[in-house]
Amino acid sequence: MTHTLSDAQWQRLQGLFEQAELLDSNAITALLDTARESDPVVADALAAMLAAHVNWNSRTAEAVGHLSATMEVSSVGARLGAYRLVSEIGRGGMGVVYLGERMDGQVQQQVAIKVLHTHSLDVHTRARFQRERDILAGFEHAGIARLLDAGESAAGEPYFVMEYLRGATITAHCDALRLGIRARLHLFLQICDAVQYAHGQLILHRDIKPSNVLVDSSGVPRLIDFGIAKPLRDGIGVHVEDTHVAHRFFSPVNAAPEQIRGEPVAVSCDVYQLGTLLYELLCGKPLFDLHGKSAAQIEEQICEAPPRAPSDAAAAGEVDAARARNLPHNTALQRALRGDLNAITLRALRKEPASRYRSVEQFSDDVKRYLGNLPVHGRRGSTLYRLQRFSQRNWRALAITTAAVVGLLVSAGLLIRQQQRVELERDNAVTERHRGEAVTDFLVDIFRVAGPSSTSGPDISVRAALKKGEQLLDQRADLDPRARARLLATLSTINVDLSNLDAAKAQALRAIEVLELHKDSDPLLLADQYQQASGVLMMMSNLDQAREMADKAVQLYRLSHAGVLKSWYAQLISLRVQRDSGDERACAGVESLLQEARTVVDTTSEPFAMVLRFAVDCRMKSADGLARSVVELQDAIARVSAQFDPNDQMVLQLKRRLALVFTAQEHPDQAMAVFQDILTQQEKIYGVESWAVALTLGGMANIAYQRHDYAEAEKSLLRAQAIFQIVHKDRASADIAETAYALARVRDFGHHDSAKAAEYYALALDIVRKIYGSHAIELGWYAANYGALLQRSGETVKAESLLREAIGILPPSDHNAARARVALASICMTRGEAAQATELFNAATAGIAEVQREDPSAADGIRQLRTYVETSANPATH
């Protein structure tokens, strides 16, 4: 019985036939079975068409074979017009692409030559090839490969000549250079411009995929392969194929749903395919994994299954994808793609053409808005769209559920609460506006005192202006408490930058006093002030008070449900004081904070960089920790330098930690190179007498000390000491203590100047007792070395007290502990206390080599002590 197919059945038949062309016999059988379940008439027609198609192909192949035997076809070495075919570049559905060279002697030129071979010379393929040639001939765009020539071989094979692009596919290019997300988006925008140009010429590409976008040697992405391109309308000089007999060569994974269904296509088809390209550029995975799926499963996946968000695909992907985007791990990539990039990509990939971006221009405009930190249009209507898709898939369940929830949705309580919220937000906005106006007025008043009309004259210093500002603040009784606190905090911050720490501390504590009287009104602001004060106190080495303030800040942040993005600095200060007090558990806390920071903050941000730097400090005693730190620091430096200026303060701080790690690994040349680079930039940015410069000089002095260049080490340390004394004035400072200790070691082990070394050791010890207390590891180091010096000088009573204090603080593995035990054992030897001397010497054995390496002059005393210990153990031998 003959059946007349409806238009819908014809479209269904066309789509199934095009799918079947790409399948093997087993898959075709499965496709027919699936089709027969839903529409036996279409399935029967499909079976008849496929049988006729096989018969036609067989007869055509036989005829072409006979024809080819009598014709000379092109191949490597053959000449086509002015060109010689050098090598095969690739094969496609219609022909072969060769690398060609111009042979007419006019110019030296390498080109790409696409040839339609004799076995493809059927009428439809030839027409499609001609259409591609005509399309390219009408294009003149930097993002589209140019057509140079065209013709036919002696065998009647049509060919055309294009410029030869040396480069890689856009995905391979981006991965090879480890381009970040923003760099990839800029390349993508260039492709959008090329596609938009083609649309302006009324041409659809219809096969946009990574392999059809090549990045040339100059870094410009170029769109190629218009083999299945289609005019947007007839009558523009390009023949349009008959839809019902067209072959399909597009890649299914990049195909739009309407292509899979065999429906008419429009601009939205290219928008969708650009979406699949963007998807892969962002997360490193194709939109769908179609491997091993049947034709029916492929159609269902593309036409029905909602695409996974790029961020979710990134989270489940290989870590190599994140590293190829210059990010350390999948979590960082997932975080980078969340929000706007997800929304932009998923809007382009909507199943219904009308729901996508209306044009490529609108699509690319949203990407530009993202790059410019502007709201993107991709998020508009996204919720409604998802609801529509959900309702289409679950309409029966929704029909039942809707009746049950209608009553709840019309509750008047929602409107009342909304009105209350609006009124509250309005009142808060008015309050903030008044507060902002008060702050602005105050700032104007500060700078007015520095104006020409001021009695102080026009050249009043910044410090004087700040002092005047604080006086004005005391006179402003009308200021809101929160505005007053914020202004005090601002003055404190400026004074920190000016190294005026006493004033900074006083203003930070005053801000807290103001807010503590109104703590219920703004607990988060009070937490911020506790945190700021803790930082100032930490710089002043007021460790106990710094930790007290930091802990208060952390507690308030937690009560206010503020995350690590708010509380990281306070947590870090608390952990640092904990570690400096000798509690090694603090380092485990820092590693936990670092992992938490990775999940919520940008890994190029100051929070992440500061936590990483302190984590590196904690790893200094572990070879594995040092090796891991080198990798993490180099990665962080590269990422921060790429996003910001390479001389950014954060970059310099990370580089300083890297230099310290190289020093700990005993790679002095690498460390010195990094320090020298840092010093040059710091002197330009901060001046030659800045705190940062002094820290770098200390690091360089340590390397010179390791090289036994004691004169250079002392020169750097004396310069650092002078800077620290200017910065810290008369305050007890860890910076001054560490510098004095380093100078003492240079004088002690480098110049053997016991008197000057003793002065420096005494200064370092006095400071460290004041700021760290009685259990700090630094106290153990300083006491061990000072005590050993006093023992060699004959001051055994004072020496013994310091040496026993050091042994009680330092872990046995510390070589300074070995120095203290050797010195104390020598004192015991002079008193004839053989048992105690032996016990101390044996306990020091593991660190004796390091003691002698640093101070070769100690070898004689150690040799004498060893002989004494051995003699005491075997008295009969002497």
Side-chain angles (χ1 to χ4, degrees), residues 211-261:
S211 60
N212 281 343
V213 180
L214 300 182
V215 182
D216 64 21
S217 56
S218 63
V220 177
R222 311 287 289 277
L223 188 61
I224 64 171
D225 198 348
F226 282 75
I228 64 167
K230 176 185 177 182
L232 284 166
R233 60 181 171 84
D234 297 342
I236 61 170
V238 177
H239 174 71
V240 184
E241 81 269 24
D242 184 348
T243 305
H244 294 289
V245 295
H247 293 208
R248 188 183 70 172
F249 295 103
F250 55 75
S251 172
V253 74
N254 299 97
E258 58 269 30
Q259 285 179 288
I260 295 296
R261 292 190 294 261

Side-chain angles (χ1 to χ4, degrees), residues 667-697:
H667 298 322
D669 292 340
Q670 291 174 275
M672 186 62 83
V674 177
F675 271 132
Q676 190 60 59
D677 174 49
I678 297 169
L679 184 66
T680 301
Q681 299 305 321
Q682 286 178 331
E683 288 179 337
K684 290 179 182 177
I685 298 170
Y686 307 118
V688 295
E689 293 185 348
S690 72
W691 178 73
V693 166
L695 287 178
T696 301
L697 288 168

Side-chain angles (χ1 to χ4, degrees), residues 780-796:
W781 297 338
Y782 302 175
N785 285 272
Y786 190 19
L789 173 65
L790 293 174
Q791 177 267 323
R792 294 194 303 273
S793 303
E795 299 182 49
T796 55

